[in-house]
Every structure is written in structure tokens, then in C-alpha cells.
Amino acid sequence: MTGTPGEVMHAAVASAGMDMPVGDVTPELVLVIGAVIVLVFALAAPRRRQPWAAALALAVLAATAVATLPMLDGGQHLTFFDTYAADDVAVWAKLVIVAATALTVALSVEWFRTDARHGEYYALLLLSALGAVVLAGAADLMEVVLGVLLSSATGYVLAAYHRSSARSAEAGIKYYLLGALTNAGLLYGVVLLFGLAGTTTLVGLGDELVGADSTALVAGVGLVVVGLAFKVGAVPAHAWVPDVADGGPAPVAAFLTVVPKVGGLVALARLVVVLPEAGVGWRPLVALLAAATMTLGNLAALWQDDVRRLLGWSAVSQSGYGLMALVALGRSELAVASLLFFLLAYALANLAAFGVLVELRGRADLDAYAGLARSRPLLATALGLAFASFVGIPPLAGFAAKLLLFGAVLDAGYAWLAALAVVNTVVSLAYYLRVVAPTWFQPAVEPLPVLGRWAAMAAVASAAAVVVVGIAAQVFLGSFEAARLLPR
Amino acid sequence: MLSAAIFVPLVGAGVVALLPASWARRARPLAIAVAAVPLVLLLAAWARFDPDGGAGFQLVERARWIPTLGVSYAVGVDGLSLPLAAMSALLFVAAIAFPADVRGRPRTYFSLFLFLEAISLGVFLALDLFLFYVFFDLSLVGMYFLIAAWGHGDARRAALKFFLYTLAGSLAMLLAILGLYLATEPRTFDMVEIIRQQPVPAGGLGSALVLLGFALGFAVKTPIVPFHTWLPPAHVDAPAPASAILAGVLLKMGTYGFVRIVLSMLPATFQRFAPVVAGFAVASIVYGALVALAQTNLKRLIAYTSVNHMGYVMLGVAAAGSSLTGDGGPRAIALTGATVEMVAHGLITGALFLLAGSVWARAETYDLDAFSGLAARAPAFTAATVLAAFASLGLPGLAGFVAEFQVFAGTFAVYPVLAGIGLLGIVLTAALFLRMVQAVFLGPLPERWATWPDINRTEQAALAPLLALVVVIGVAPGWLLDVIDATAGRLVGR
Amino acid sequence: MTLEGLLVVAAALFGVGVYGALSQQTFVMIMMGLELMINGAILAAVALWAMSAGGTPKGQLLAVVAMTVMAVEAAVGFALIVGVYRVRKADMTEKLKRLRG
Amino acid sequence: MSRSLLVDLAFYILSAGAVVSAWLVFRTDSMVRAAYWLLVSFVAVGGVLVLLSAEFLGLVLVLMMAGEMTIMAVFMVMFMMNPAGLNPMTMVHQHRAAVGAGLVAFAGLAGVGLVADFPDRAAPSDAPATAELGTELLGDSMLVFETAGVTLLATMIGAIAIASRRGRYGDADAGSLPPELEAPAPKARA
Amino acid sequence: MSGAATWWLAPLALGAALAGGVYLTAVLDRLVARAVAGVPLGVPDALVAPARGAALLLLSPPAATERPDAQSWALAPALLAAVAAAGTAAIPLGPGLAVADVPDGIVLFGAAMALVMVAVFLHGWSANSAMPLLGGYRFVAQALSYEMPLALVLIAVALPAQSLAVGDIVVAQEHIWNVVRQPLGLPIFLVTAAGLGFWGPLALPDAADVAGGTSVEAAGSALLAWRAARAAVLVAAAAMAAAAFLGGWLGPVLPGPVWMVAKTAAVLVAISAAGHLLARVRLERFVVVAWTVLIPLALVDVFASGILAL
């Protein structure tokens, strides 16, 4: 038998007749058990010890990362009877999710300090991250539905976690209403696809959908895509993003604009590659969504005077860029690498931007940012780096991501999409500079009150990572290049 | 050695930025010292450079960066990049040394200049398209901050306009770079390799789009009419040393890109469109001169002459790329002329903008009508300005003449009509500079300038090398032409 | 009882649900619309399971998943309503006008 | 009367009942009635599921919805401040758009149902459906089952975290607000 | 179920059985009450007393409230009776002797019992009066609390039978009854049965402290129907207890159906006795006990029987 050690091992495990390859879901198990431990701690610990739940959550995330890393050379395969993918794309998505969640935890410690339910929050955060992890690995439509559900149900609660704040409650409700609506559509779409294929595994769909009735196929795929667009924060189900960014707790906004997007984009990618292009023109469909998302997000952000809403709309437009990678799937070798690198770069930059927002106690008033570079140079630099990465200024991580994305869509024959992305990038510069310019060019005023050390460290660390990942892109690209997107 | 020329100022930028507050006063001498290092290094490189030595690049330094994508860190020089890099280094020293109002933030100011120096040298020295783009784009960032933070008037708006235009151009160029990259086999960003492969054959929509992308990116940066509208406000509102760098160094990145990338990597495609480029170039020449003629704002006037001068460069480049076969002589001359024009324009316009900075420092206005009869009051200032102005209008014996003569000599063989129209530009430039000199320096000295101080030692010291070089190139250009000529010849396939 | 007939009924339930979810102002009524949509999905799933997918157990499981979605969304919805009601003393979407743009 | 005719008749009655009662949900003036009309719709669908030999699913659907709809009714009565819930309560906005959207959704999906050519593989009538479902849950789709379990757990935690008023340390709402913009004493420097 | 010609017989038989059961319940309750009170049983009187009471109610005038939801009010008792009938339908009187001994019998029973909550709340709400509504609320809280243990113990009895059909569950008790095999099951089930029929200690929705709860405004035939329907629920629950825990029709000498009736009657007596012997509990206490004691116990029951069944 030849193959990498991981493949050999897996084959050995399979031949041993083990029908529960628990080893393939160790990170997921760690997250579940960790969440329960955090919950139990929160219920048992005295009030002043509640913030320790954050440390516990960080430990859980570290353990998850430790459990995930060895899977990188674990032989990329489908597991649990083709319902789950243990491939490098899933592994990397998990790592990004874990890192983003860890940064969110750091952002949350001081933000939720006065909250009596400090501990449960982290349990929910871990479970929400698990939802995204499930999405990233789902190779079965039912698993996709449940991933969406787990990630959403916790997300609604997280968005409404400030229980005495009307704005937070409103953000949660709006998030919920849109989510429930699109989830129902997602379900119906999955049902239609199931009807055509007689199965819900992606492997089965890939085999059975060839030559399937295209009316039902288009309807089913359309509904599923809309359902996942909700997770991704893409048109036409994007409306929740600015509301949550504005009304929800700021660390949660950072979390919800990053983590579900990672899972949702990977899930969508996994689905579209198995669809027969003859039966449903998914490529133009996704391209259209990408174009609409980035354009709409940018245009809306252009008029924002509220930094939080601006960040929300910016997150929408970034989703559009992410969708570009999907357009190139199967047509360009760069597609998978560009998707992963985009997710990594976006996650770091967005967390840095929201991190600065958190550290500034959620201040949304644009005018208040004037002179920040002199009063709080480190924060202003972090914010500037995050935005520069969004724009794609080299050598930051966002630049390599954009380069890969543009390369992928050009390679796939979608030059118009690349051109539109360029136009959008230029437009986006205008509103990013609206925030950054006053921080640098206006005289210093009284230093803005800040939140605390943890949040500052998380924001600055994310910003530093944006630089490091951009320059040391090879570290990641070397692995991304070999990553497979099962089941294709 | 070349890497050191990039990284010394880069590290220096970081050091200067992080100096303790009590050291703020020493930021300036430190910055000058750091800025001079690349100049020394490049002069050393010049000394080691062999004009006829083999085909391609010399003093190449390489390192793996992102092998997965075929990206490497690679720098090197040839007869085209070496003079530009050396001129840039010199101009940076002068610009940093030139007195400027740092508005209480000397560390940031000098740090940004050093940063920009590293970036600019990087653009000229890079031998990898990825690296080239990184530096190309970063130059926008550095300049944006310089203009927006230390400019006057509506500086932030001007800086934003500059940033938006050039970013749009550079992103179009990014797509074009990717188009080139995707066509290579195996995929690589290595310029040498791409020049060897010529991956995008002429003909077809693809090659035209790639060319269009590059052309847009470089045309905005150069700038060529009608992509120039960002330039006047940026120049006018920028602080004088930044204007000098912007005009002297950053504009060259566009024309340098045309030669280094478009002409070298897409010669056949460029040849198809060379007449169009030449047309735009002539339009720039005439339009720039005409509009400059109408200006009453000193800085705006100089800015428009830049449009005009970059038109000469582009005309030379278009002529050089106008054919792939046949007698390469005239085309090589045109390209040599274009390159010399880049160097000369950098020195001359750099000096002019620095002088404009002196005006602003004393009068807080650029309005030509406000000045008169300064010759008597400020002889050194007058001498320097007149010298630069005459060099700019192409007076024989000065650098501008050498360059423009060669450009037109080469172009006449290819596009006689366009060259003829272009000559009109020279006449107009002469007229406008003479008018300016007359307005500012001759006539009665108004009461309010009775105490006008002449340029001081520092200013003189900063200007002297620039103007001296202008004269040297004008009188004895051989040493420069030798370096450029072999490379130009190779580029046009002579 | 044909597949077509079943799917039309399912579509009708879904359509009425869409109408309800979009037209109602009371959260609970909106939730009813959402439940109806899922009701349609369940019917369609079982219909396709019985008549098109050869009775593969995955079809039944899909219906179970749909019920899970229904239950989870109902639970979270009720919890959110309680939360909103407490801070807002309101349960009408029209009153949610604070966040916009 | 043959069995298939009987089944057809039952199907027509039940599906008409399901759709009509679904419509009545939004046409009734009474909130409790609305909730229970919805329940009727679910029970009718449950009946159709039984006709399709998915007895287990049909019954579970009824079992679930009975509880849920009652809770809904209770919520309606409590939150509308209208104990008997008998006052008229037509509260509708964007009515036309909603009708349009509903019609589009119906027409689209019904069109798919009518036009689309789904594979024609009828389930074997004697298959032990419930047992098969159990085997699937603990076999091929074990992961789906377990994910559903975790999702329910997470939902419970979330719902309680946000809805329950009394916490371990008194009122759970206390302090559940974003931090004030002006810090009491900014100690940390960035 | 046996054929197209006789399909209408089944509901008829079910109705008759249930009616008999309801009457039996009333008789038994009276007897138990007298036994508890220590007075002579007076069997003949007990046999006719329910009929007498029913006639009295039938003759008394109906009551009305201000703006009730008349249809729902009228519907509620019928619904309660119907769900009781649906639940009973799954329970066989003897081998193969059931209206609908469907493969998912206990799920059918569970679904039917879940609808009891609907009927009771509807009854309480539709009168448009405060006390009945309070009763309705109480029942919702009560029902949500006993629902889980009820479902769990029923799952537990299905495990050894490897089937959800009530008939199979009875057959699986051939050697040992579930009451012995799963000692926790029957007590828990009886508690939930009392809750289902809001009987005795759990007669909270119609309790005196809310002036009669859901049925306070009912009178005459409506009240009679309501009480009969509630008794029908009890009968259904008792029959299920007999089938699920006491071996159903299994027993020596006598024919199966007789055993079944006897066991059902015995359970009814037990429930009735509890009603007369035990004090009514407070709702909050019941809810707490249900969630913190009954559910864990029921879980233990399920796990234990699962392990035994393996």
C-alpha cells in the first residue's frame, strides 16, 4: 500500500471495521465538551470568578487547535459515510474559525465584565463556532442545514445578548427574522435537491444530479444558495449585517461577521462544485451574487457616518469578494487557495477593525475618531492596517487575497467580475479613508476612553497578523495549494 | 547592495518614527544621513555597472518569497533603471534636506520620506512583477499621507483624489499583471523570465486587455492627458518637497513601467497600439503646455509643464515601440532620449518645486501676479530658478535639451507629423517660462517683498547638486548616454 | 394522491407561510408564517421520500431535520420575544425602527 | 369503496384542510384561534404523512406542534395584553407586497412540482419505515443526528440565557448593557 | 381495518368501549370515595348515580359568559373526547383486537395526549373569563412538565419489545411484566396519567382555588360533556398503563379482553384512590418536581431498560 502516512492510517482504521471514525471529529468533540465545561463552570463559579470562563474558553479553543493541526496531513477524505469532509479546506477553515473565536473571546472579556451571565456567553460562543465548523466540513445537505441552524440559533442569541439594551434586542430580532425566513427556504431547497437525487450527500448529488430536471434543480439550488447567502452576509440576505454590527454587542458583531462567513462560504463552495453546470448555471449565478454583494455593500457603506454600520456594510462588500473565489472553482487552480487565503485575511482584518471599535468602547461616532493617531497611535495604526488590508494595499494579507481572487476569476474567464471588483475596491477606498483620514490629519484631542488591555491586545495582535500573514504568505499558500475541496 | 539601498531607508523610516520625543530635533540630520546611504550605494553600483556587459540585468539579487505563486524577491539594474534609481536617491536627499514646515511632527514626516525613498527605489530596482506592484502601490500610500498631513489648501481632498485615481490605475495594472502571470508557463512573476517567454502573443482581445490594463495604470501615474486631472491639485496642495518627489520620482514610475513592462513584455501588442499612445503623448504635450500657459499659480504652472514633459517621454517610448523590425537606430535614440528626459525632468522639476517651496515659505502664496522684481532682492534664488526654467524649456547646453533633442530626433523618423505637432509644445513651454521669469524677477519690486530673504545655505546646498547635474548632463552627457544606450538598443531590438 | 398534487399542497403551505411572515406585524404571527413554510417543506420532503426517492431513510431523516429546525427556531424566537418584550414593552415590528440605513 | 379511492379522498380532505386552515391563521381575529388553526394545519399535514406511510413522522409532527402551538397561544394572549384574546387584531402591513411574495413563492414551487420531472421511485409499501429511520439515525447519518442533538442543547442554553429573568446572582438583566462610552477611569493605554 | 365493508365498525366499537369506560370510571370513583370515607359501598346506588347526575346536568340550563368564543367552547369537550378516543385506538383489548394497533402505537398515544393540552387550554380560554383562563394557563404549565416523563417512560417500554406497537409491547411481557422489569415506569406513568386527566392531586386546572378553573363557567350539558371527556382521557391513560406495564391481555384462565378490562379498572381504582387520599399539590411545586425529579428518574428508567434490552 502506498500513500502518505495519514492515508495509510486511515485505510487501516477503515479496514479495522470502525464505523465511528471519532478521530475525524476530534476538534468538534473538543468544542462540544469544552462548551459544556464552560457552561458548568459558569453555573458553579461565584460571580467574581465569571470572567475566568473566558480563560477556560481560550483553553478549549487552544485544545481544539491542537486537535485540528495534526489533521493537516491526515489524508484528505470523506468520513461518517460521506456526510462529513476531513479535508484540508475544512481543517484550515477550522483553524481560522478557532483563531477568530479566540480573538473574539479576548475582545469580550472587558466588554461583558458587568454582565451576570458572563460565563454562558462563552459557552454559546464556542457552540456558535462549532456551527461554523460543522458548516465548513458538511458534505451532506442535512449537515449543512444543521450547521446553519446551530450557527444561527446561537448567533441570534449572541446578537441580543445585551438583555437590557433595546438596540441589542432589536438586532437579535432582525437577525432572527431574516434567518428564519431564509432557513425555511434553505430547507425547501434541500428537499427539492433530495427529491431529484434521492440522497442528500454531496457525493450522491454529484452522481445523481447529472441530467436531472433543470427546473427543480434551479429552484432547489437557488433556495439553498440564498439560505447560505444569509450565513455569508451576501445579497439577497445581507440586511442583518449592518443591524447586528450596529446594535449587537461589538465583540459579537466581530464574531458574526467573520465566523459564520467562513463556514458558509466553504459550505457553499462544497455544494456548487458537485452541481452539474449543464443543469444549473451556478457559476453565473454566484458571479452575479458576488457582483451585487460587493457593489451594494460598498454603495451603502459610502454614505455611512456611523462607524459601526460602516463596518457592517464593509463586511457585506467583503463577502462579495469572497464569493469570487467560488466562481472560479473547478476552472482555476487558484480558486481553493484564494478562498482560504481570503478567509484568513478577511478574518484578521475584520477582527482588527472591530477590535479597535471594541477597545474604543464601541464608539460609532465618526467625528470622535479625529486625531486618534496622536492620542492613541497604536489603535489608529491597527485600524489603518485593517482598512488597508480590506482595500488590498500590499504587502498586507488583503493584498495577497485580492491578488489570488482576481487571478482566479481571470483564470476562470470572468474578467468582467475582476474589473467590477477593481471598481469596487476604488470605491471602497473612499469610505475607508473617511474613517482613517481624520485619525491622522486632524489635531489631537482628548484621548478617547478605552476599554482595557485584553481588547487592545486582541486588536493589535490581529492587525500585526494582517502584516505578518501578508508578508509570510508562502507559509499558508504552500499548504492551501494542496488543499482539496471534497467531494470533488 | 541594491537590497541595502531599499532596506536601509526602510529600516531608517521605522527608527525615525519610533525615536523618543526628546530626539525629535535630531530626526532631520538622521534622516538625511540615512537617505544618503542609497545614493552612495547606487553610485557604487554605477561604478560597477558595465554598460555593454551582456544582455539583461546586472547586480541581481534574488530570494525565494512565495514560491507557490512563482513570486520571488528579485532586484537588479540595467541601463534604464540605474540612472532613474540614482536620480531618485539624489532627489530624495535634496528633498529631505530642503527646509520644510513639519508642523510639529518631524519624526513622522521624515519617516514617511525615508519610507517613500525605499519604496521608490524598490519600484525601479524590482525584477519581479509582484514586488514591483507592491512597491508601486505603496508609493501611493506614502505620498497620500505626505500630501494630506503636510499639505496646504484643500490638501486632504487633493490627496484623496490622487489616491483614488492612482489606485484605480494600479488596480487595472494588477489585473494586467495577473493576465501576464496566468499566461506564463510555469507560472511566475519573474520579469526576466516573462521577458524571455513573451507569454501573451499579440492579437486577440486578451493581449489588448492586458495592454489596456497596464496602459491605464501607467497613464494615470505618468500622467497622460486625459488621466492627469489628479495631478494639479495634488501638486499644488502638497508640501514642496513632496511635490518634488511626486513630480521627480513618482511620475517616472509610470513611464518607467511603460518601458520596463509594456515595451519589454508586450512589444508586439504595444506596436499595434503605439500610434495611439503617440497620439495621447502629443495631446499631453500640447495640452499641458497650453494649460500651463494659462496659469497664474506658480505651482500649478510647474505641474502642467510636468504633464507636458511626460508627454515627451511617452512620445519617445511610443516611437521606440512603433516597430519590431527595420532600422532600430532612430527608435533607440528616441528611447534613450525618453530615458534621459525622465532623469532630466526629475532633476529640473524637482528643483523647480523645491524653489516653489521657498516661495511659499516666504510669501504663503503661489500667485504669479503677486510677485515682481525679485531678481534684485534675491540673486541666488533668481539664478537657480532661471537655470531650472531654462533647462525645462529645453535650452541647449542644459539637460532638457539633450533629452528633447533625442526624443524628437528619434520620433521624426517614425511619426514625423506627430513630432512636428509636439515641437509646438516646446515653443509654448519656452513662452510660458519666459513669461514667468519676466513676471517674477523683472520689473519693480513691490513694497511688501522689500525684505524678501534670499534662499539660505540649506536651500542652496539642497539645490546645488540638482542644478549642477542639469548643467553637467547638458554639457557632457556622454557618461549618462553610455549607460542608457546599450539597454535602449537592446530594448528596441537594434 | 400524486406527487404533483402533494407538491402543490406543499407549495401552497409554503406560499401562505411567506405571506404570513411578510404581512404580519406581531412577532408570534410572523413565527406562525415561518412555521407554515417549514410545514410545506416537511410535506414536500415526505412526499418525495415516498414517491420519488424510493423510500430511502434519508428522506424521513430530512423531515426530522426540518422538525428540528422548526423546534429550534420556535424556541429561540420565543426567547427573543421575551427579551424584546422586557426591554421594549413592545412586540410589533413597526416599533423596531431604531436601526436603519 | 376501494382503499386507494379512500386514500385519495382522505388526501383531498386533509390537504384542503391544511391549506384552508393555514390561510385562516392570518384571517382570524383571535390570536388563540390563529395558533390553533395553525395546529389544525399541522395535524392535517400529519394526516397526509400518515397516508404516505410515514406514520411516525406524522404523529411526531402532531405531538410537537400541539405543545408548540399552545405555547404560541399563551404567548399571544400574554403579550397582546388582551386576556381573552377576542378583540379584533388585524395587524397587517405591506399587505399587497406580502400577498405578491406569497403568490410568487406558491406559483414558483407549485410550478416546480407540476413541471419538474422527479425520479419515479415509489417507496416499497411494506417497508418498516420507522425502523429504517432508526437504523439510519444510528448508522449512516449518525453525525446528522448528533449534530441535531448539539443544536438542541445550544438552543436550550441560548434560550434560557436570554429569556430567564432571575439568575444566580439576582436579576440576570443587571449589567447586561454595552459599556458606557465614557470610561470611569481610563487606566489602560493603547 | 378489516375490510372496506366494515370500516365504519371500528369507530363505533371504540365509541362504545370508551363510553363504557367512562361510565365505569364514574362508578368506580364513587365506590372508591365511599371506601376511603369508610362508609358502606352501596354498589347498586353507585351504579346508577352517574346516570342520575348526568341526567341532572342535562336538564339544568346552559350557562353563558360575555362574548365567549362559542365555537371553541363547544369544540373543547369534543376535542378532548376525540383525542382520548384516538389514544385508546392504539391499545388492543386482546391479541389483534384493536381499532388501530398501528406500528407506531405509542407515538399515536403520545400525540393524542399532547393534544389534551390543546383541548384544555381551548376550554379555559374560550369562555372569555378570568378563572377559566387561569385554569388553562395552569394546565399548560402542568402539561409541559409531565410531557417529557410521559414520553420517556413510554419509550422505555418500547425498548424491550423492539417495537412501537402497543400489541408488541404487550407480547414482550409474556415472561415478565414491565411493572417488574422497569419498576420506575409505572409510578411515573401514573403521575403523568393523573396529570393528563387533571385528576386528584393534579386537578389544578379545574381546582377549587380558581373556583373550578376551566369549567367554572360551564354548566348543564356542556359540563357533562367536559367531565365525560376528561374521564375518557383517564380511561385511555389507564388502558395504556394496563397494556404497557401490567401485561395487557396476558393472564391465566380468563380470556384476554377480560384481563385487560380488569387491569384497566384496577388502574382506574388506583388513580381514583389517589385523588381521594392525597392532597392537591401546588403547581409550582409540581413543576419543580417534574423537571428536577421526574425527568431524571424517567431518564434513568430509559437508560436502565435500554441496557437491559441490549
Side-chain angles (χ1 to χ4, degrees), chain E residues 265-293:
Chain E
V267 174
L268 280 173
V269 167
I271 296 177
S272 171
H276 291 289
L277 286 171
L278 302 178
R280 203 177 54 233
V281 299
R282 280 158 51 90
L283 180 63
E284 308 92 283
R285 183 154 301 165
F286 173 70
V287 169
V288 169
V289 168
W291 286 94
T292 56
V293 179

Side-chain angles (χ1 to χ4, degrees), chain B residues 67-464:
Chain B
T68 306
L69 294 179
V71 172
S72 54
Y73 168 85
V75 291
V77 287
D78 67 354
L80 175 67
S81 53
L82 183 56
L84 283 173
M87 178 274 288
S88 302
L90 175 66
L91 196 56
F92 266 103
V93 178
I96 291 174
F98 203 79
D101 175 15
V102 296
R103 314 234 176 123
R105 302 166 82 181
R107 288 170 294 169
T108 329
Y109 176 84
F110 290 112
S111 167
L112 271 171
F113 259 102
L114 288 176
F115 172 75
L116 206 52
E117 174 171 20
I119 296 310
S120 305
L121 294 179
V123 170
F124 294 125
L125 298 178
L127 286 187
D128 184 282
L129 273 180
F130 188 93
L131 188 65
F132 174 83
Y133 183 81
V134 168
F135 287 131
F136 193 89
D137 232 22
L138 279 178
S139 68
L140 313 183
V141 180
M143 187 49 80
Y144 169 79
F145 279 101
L146 272 180
I147 298 176
W150 287 277
H152 29 63
D154 201 353
R156 272 168 59 188
R157 196 182 167 78
L160 178 64
K161 197 171 179 187
F162 158 77
F163 203 167
L164 283 179
Y165 272 61
T166 41
L167 182 77
S170 80
L171 282 168
M173 183 179 87
L174 179 63
L175 292 187
I177 288 179
L178 284 167
L180 268 183
Y181 165 73
L182 292 170
T184 53
E185 190 58 49
R187 288 187 177 166
T188 179
F189 283 99
D190 185 353
M191 285 187 181
V192 184
E193 179 63 18
I194 293 175
I195 292 172
R196 194 187 60 74
Q197 281 193 15
Q198 300 283 334
V200 179
L205 186 63
S207 64
L209 283 177
V210 170
L211 183 88
L212 182 69
F214 280 119
L216 270 179
F218 296 137
V220 172
K221 190 95 172 178
T222 298
I224 297 174
V225 173
F227 303 105
H228 67 285
T229 50
W230 62 267
L231 182 130
H235 271 314
V236 172
D237 295 338
S243 296
I245 295 300
L246 180 58
V249 179
L250 265 62
L251 301 194
K252 305 303 172 295
M253 293 178 184
T255 47
Y256 172 77
F258 264 111
V259 181
R260 172 61 72 232
I261 294 173
V262 179
L263 196 59
S264 306
M265 300 175 189
L266 300 158
T269 315
F270 185 64
Q271 184 237 331
R272 276 173 66 199
F273 295 98
V276 182
V277 176
F280 276 111
V282 170
S284 296
I285 293 171
V286 177
Y287 178 84
L290 280 174
V291 177
L293 198 58
Q295 297 306 317
T296 55
N297 178 313
L298 175 64
K299 227 175 170 187
R300 194 171 274 272
L301 180 149
I302 306 174
Y304 274 108
T305 64
S306 285
V307 176
N308 160 277
H309 281 94
M310 297 322 278
Y312 299 142
V313 178
M314 283 316 301
L315 187 59
V317 174
S322 61
S323 157
L324 294 176
T325 53
D327 182 15
R331 288 185 285 117
I333 292 174
L335 187 55
T336 307
T339 311
V340 176
E341 176 75 54
M342 288 189 230
V343 176
H345 177 256
L347 298 170
I348 297 164
T349 311
L352 278 173
F353 274 120
L354 290 179
L355 287 163
S358 301
V359 173
W360 178 267
R362 288 157 176 77
E364 299 248 322
T365 176
Y366 292 125
D367 193 357
L368 285 176
D369 299 337
F371 301 105
S372 160
L374 286 179
R377 181 73 211 146
F381 173 66
T382 309
T385 311
V386 169
L387 179 63
F390 281 3
S392 185
L393 63 81
L395 193 75
L398 294 172
F401 173 76
V402 178
E404 282 156 34
F405 176 79
Q406 284 188 314
V407 167
F408 281 102
T411 309
F412 261 116
V414 187
Y415 301 121
V417 179
L418 289 175
I421 302 172
L423 275 177
L424 193 64
I426 295 196
V427 179
L428 289 170
T429 327
L432 76 93
F433 271 119
L434 289 172
R435 209 194 53 161
M436 177 200 90
V437 167
Q438 191 240 346
V440 174
F441 298 107
L442 306 181
L445 183 71
E447 192 63 26
R448 58 199 278 220
W449 305 135
T451 59
W452 181 279
D454 202 354
I455 49 175
N456 59 28
R457 284 271 168 76
T458 323
E459 288 166 309
Q460 287 172 19
L463 287 165

Side-chain angles (χ1 to χ4, degrees), chain A residues 82-258:
Chain A
D82 293 348
T83 57
Y84 208 61
D87 55 10
D88 279 358
V89 174
V91 172
W92 276 109
K94 277 173 211 175
L95 290 173
V96 173
I97 290 169
V98 165
T101 311
L103 287 167
T104 308
V105 169
L107 290 178
S108 307
V109 177
E110 288 128 347
W111 187 276
F112 285 103
R113 176 158 280 160
T114 56
D115 196 323
R117 293 215 171 112
H118 200 76
E120 291 97 317
Y121 168 80
Y122 297 106
L124 283 170
L125 208 57
L126 292 178
L127 288 168
S128 196
L130 177 67
V133 165
V134 167
L135 268 178
D140 182 304
L141 289 179
M142 289 192 267
E143 199 65 13
V144 170
V145 169
L146 287 171
V148 168
L149 188 65
L150 177 52
S151 153
S152 305
T154 44
Y156 309 144
V157 173
L158 289 173
Y161 211 79
H162 286 321
R163 298 174 302 287
S164 299
S165 154
R167 296 170 65 85
S168 181
E170 179 173 335
I173 282 279
K174 284 187 168 175
Y175 190 25
Y176 167 81
L177 288 178
L178 189 60
L181 199 66
T182 52
N183 275 5
L186 171 71
L187 259 180
Y188 210 103
V190 169
V191 167
L192 287 177
L193 292 181
F194 161 76
L196 288 173
T199 179
T200 51
T201 61
L202 295 186
V203 177
L205 290 180
D207 295 339
E208 301 289 333
L209 288 183
V210 178
D213 183 276
S214 73
T215 322
L217 192 54
V218 168
V221 169
L223 286 169
V224 173
V225 167
V226 171
L228 285 171
F230 165 73
K231 284 279 85 184
V232 172
V235 169
H238 60 280
W240 62 271
V241 185
D243 286 339
V244 168
D246 184 2
V252 169
F255 180 82
L256 290 180
T257 49
V258 170

Side-chain angles (χ1 to χ4, degrees), chain C residues 1 6 11-12 14 19 22-24 28 35-36 39 50-52 54 58 60-61 72 74 78 85-86 91 94, chain D residues 8 27 38 65 68 72 76 79-81 92-95 106 110 119 121 123 129 136-137 141 155 163 173:
Chain C
M1 192 164 59
L6 284 161
F14 194 89
Y19 160 75
L22 296 182
S23 70
Q24 299 296 309
V28 185
E35 306 256 312
L36 266 178
N39 196 16
M51 299 196 166
S52 173
K58 278 199 190 295
Q60 288 194 70
L61 184 56
V72 165
F78 284 135
Y85 181 75
R86 195 177 291 154
D91 72 331
E94 297 279 296
Chain D
D8 273 352
R27 279 285 149 272
L38 186 57
M65 297 326 287
E68 197 181 318
M72 269 205 179
M76 299 290 282
F79 286 121
M80 295 307 286
M81 300 292 207
V92 173
H93 62 160
Q94 50 186 10
H95 189 254
F106 167 67
R121 293 170 296 210
E136 177 77 18
L137 278 177
S141 298
T155 307
D173 294 2

Side-chain angles (χ1 to χ4, degrees), chain E residues 7 48 66 148 196 217 262 309:
Chain E
W7 63 270
V48 292
E66 191 190 344
M148 277 290 286
L196 268 174
E217 304 284 3

